[in-house]
Amino acid sequence: LKSNFVESLVHAVSNSLTDASEFIPLHEPRMGELEKEFVSSCVQSTFVSSVGKYVDRFEQEIAGYTSAKYAVAVVNGTAALHISLILAGVKKDNEVLVPSLTFAATANAVCYAGAIPHFLDSEEETFGICPTQLDNYLSDTCDIQNEVCINKKTGRQITAIIPVHIFGHPCKIEEILEVAKKYKLEVVEDAAESLGSFYKGKHTGTFGKLGTISFNGNKIITTGGGGMIITDDEELAQQAKHLTTTAKVPHKWEYVHDQVGYNYRMPNLNAAFGCAQLKQLPKFLQSKRDLYERYSEQLSGLNGIRLLKEPAECSSNYWLQTIVLDEPDEELRNIILTALNESGLMSRPAWTGLHKLEHFKECPKMDIKVVNSLGKRIINIPSSSFLCE
Ligand SMILES: *Cc1c(COP(=O)(O)O)cnc(C)c1O
């Protein structure tokens, strides 16, 4: 029975794709003549490094697309998070609330800022932080003293929270903001995976004090490697530019730095690539939505699984397509993963819950029930935007 089910599932995934005769990677970047044209013009300009017109243009265009007032281009999404946490006021030995179900970079950036990740569970619908569970947990765990949130168990200040829009699906960001406000927490939004995803018509990453985007090779658009900090606060945007530019005080010839800064700027070459990619984002979004529809149709006959769908009142970029088993059955999950990968359909499970990683084992955490269950139920299937064209 199991093997029939697995066979049908592999068949359904394969049937959804226009050409599944070759090996299909999980997520491939997609590029063409425009990328060549822009990068070549960048080379001709000789401004290939950290300043240039493509950096300015890419920043303006991302700000325009997301309706954030300001955007600051950086080397990658992790650096964007690092700087955003510093600017949100995260200090050494503070705690920062982070979902356990996310890519390691979210928690790593907290450590770069000298702080300690404090892990949260997720909810079934969006895979993001559950606002209700968060409120209950914080009311048990924290005290507000002199307008700051103190973890009663560790005595440390909890400064910020990083909601993540997992696989591109918007989390319940408005409700999370409410809870964050109640407990005096700054919000840095990790929108690394969710360029093109909107919550009630507002772009993800624009709800928190600062938001971050990644343009890594596996994201919906890429700059090779790259990231962006977005914010509506002019002063924070200026500080982000300053801190990522080695904190050098602008001057025609003097080299004076007013603090320890970072060399985190995005090179113009990468920004040129990004400008070309951004032009194609609407096409990528449509293709990914079409792919979801195909998978959805093909998989609809199978019991015991569902396909992760954009939450109500949201528009998702469908960055990674996700099959979710109804029951936490690790053995079945592994059989499916093996069958898909052996058929040339690259698939993978969710990231290991961060609270389980050796170096994060001692970190404070809530009861991580849902993430532990989802860990045995999530299967990401081929998601490149051109797969059903
Ligand atoms: C990709 C990703 C990052 C990090 O971005 P990089 O550009 O790879 O540094 C951070 N958070 C999440 C959720 C991501 O998926």
Side-chain angles (χ1 to χ4, degrees):
L1 217 73
K2 238 180 200 176
S3 74
N4 273 346
F5 173 80
V6 174
E7 206 175 295
S8 308
L9 191 150
V10 172
H11 200 66
V13 170
S14 168
N15 262 353
S16 307
L17 312 180
T18 304
D19 181 11
S21 59
E22 282 173 64
F23 172 75
I24 311 283
L26 185 70
H27 200 287
E28 264 186 295
R30 183 177 180 184
M31 66 205 83
E33 291 306 313
L34 201 59
E35 283 77 5
K36 285 186 202 161
E37 191 187 305
F38 283 20
V39 170
S40 155
S41 121
C42 178
V43 171
Q44 262 166 18
S45 78
T46 74
F47 281 83
V48 295
S49 193
S50 310
V51 287
K53 68 174 187 122
Y54 281 113
V55 173
D56 300 338
R57 177 172 158 186
F58 193 44
E59 288 177 341
Q60 281 160 18
E61 289 182 356
I62 288 289
Y65 182 80
T66 58
S67 299
K69 287 212 178 95
Y70 307 94
V72 177
V74 294
V75 283
N76 56 51
T78 315
L81 279 169
H82 180 194
I83 297 298
S84 297
L85 289 168
I86 294 172
L87 294 180
V90 172
K91 300 271 187 316
K92 189 171 181 297
D93 295 331
N94 288 171
E95 290 177 15
V96 175
L97 299 167
V98 173
S100 170
L101 183 70
T102 179
F103 180 56
T106 316
N108 287 344
V110 171
C111 300
Y112 301 168
I116 295 140
H118 183 147
F119 294 111
L120 302 174
D121 201 12
S122 293
E123 48 118 33
E124 286 277 344
E125 189 192 344
T126 65
F127 288 5
I129 295 164
C130 172
T132 317
Q133 203 190 3
L134 176 69
D135 194 0
N136 292 336
Y137 176 68
L138 291 179
S139 102
D140 289 345
T141 314
C142 306
D143 267 340
I144 305 292
Q145 297 171 9
N146 306 318
E147 296 293 296
V148 301
C149 181
I150 302 293
N151 181 336
K152 287 192 280 194
K153 286 183 201 140
T154 62
R156 291 188 290 244
Q157 182 183 347
I158 306 181
T159 321
I161 181 167
I162 314 182
V164 186
H165 305 288
I166 299 295
F167 305 145
H169 297 292
C171 67
K172 293 181 173 154
I173 188 67
E174 259 181 356
E175 292 163 72
I176 294 168
L177 282 181
E178 284 295 309
V179 180
K181 198 169 157 198
K182 181 170 163 190
Y183 294 93
K184 318 285 177 197
L185 304 172
E186 298 291 0
V187 177
V188 171
E189 232 181 311
D190 185 347
E193 302 175 357
S194 65
L195 181 68
S197 298
F198 295 80
Y199 178 94
K200 296 185 184 170
K202 188 169 154 64
H203 198 281
T204 52
T206 62
F207 289 83
K209 188 169 198 155
L210 300 123
T212 64
I213 302 170
S214 167
F215 307 110
N216 189 33
N218 63 344
K219 298 302 198 295
I220 187 158
I221 68 165
T222 184
T223 57
M228 195 74 78
I229 299 169
I230 54 178
T231 182
D232 283 342
D233 185 316
E234 185 178 4
E235 200 177 319
L236 287 178
Q238 279 168 1
Q239 285 173 4
K241 198 50 147 181
H242 183 62
L243 261 188
T244 53
T245 313
T246 64
K248 183 181 176 296
V249 181
H251 191 278
K252 276 207 173 100
W253 57 79
E254 297 279 13
Y255 263 74
V256 178
H257 305 260
D258 59 11
Q259 59 189 295
V260 176
Y262 300 86
N263 179 16
Y264 275 177
R265 285 175 300 180
M266 176 186 285
N268 203 37
L269 265 178
N270 300 70
F273 199 96
C275 287
Q277 287 268 291
L278 191 56
K279 281 199 178 300
Q280 301 170 77
L281 180 59
K283 182 173 79 186
F284 294 176
L285 287 169
Q286 187 57 53
S287 294
K288 280 174 164 290
R289 184 166 289 277
D290 292 347
L291 182 59
Y292 167 78
E293 299 294 343
R294 282 276 193 96
Y295 278 142
S296 184
E297 229 173 87
Q298 292 287 335
L299 291 163
S300 63
L302 291 168
N303 291 324
I305 61 163
R306 69 183 165 108
L307 200 60
L308 193 62
K309 186 182 169 189
E310 68 190 352
E313 297 184 88
C314 294
S315 171
S316 175
N317 69 0
Y318 283 103
W319 171 59
L320 271 194
Q321 309 283 350
T322 309
I323 290 175
V324 193
L325 307 185
D326 291 350
E327 300 299 329
D329 184 341
E330 203 166 2
E331 192 195 332
L332 177 62
R333 184 206 71 177
N334 289 343
I335 294 171
I336 295 172
L337 279 169
T338 307
L340 284 168
N341 283 298
E342 278 177 357
S343 307
L345 302 160
M346 185 175 163
S347 303
R348 66 168 198 215
W351 311 281
T352 298
L354 297 184
H355 68 288
K356 289 186 175 168
L357 299 181
E358 201 54 45
H359 50 287
F360 289 140
K361 264 189 180 151
E362 304 298 318
C363 292
K365 59 173 183 286
M366 66 158 67
D367 191 8
I368 314 272
K369 278 201 221 75
V370 178
V371 172
N372 284 337
S373 164
L374 286 175
K376 298 173 184 149
R377 293 161 53 207
I378 291 175
I379 297 171
N380 290 124
I381 53 177
S383 302
S384 306
S385 70
F386 48 84
L387 289 178
C388 75
E389 281 175 10

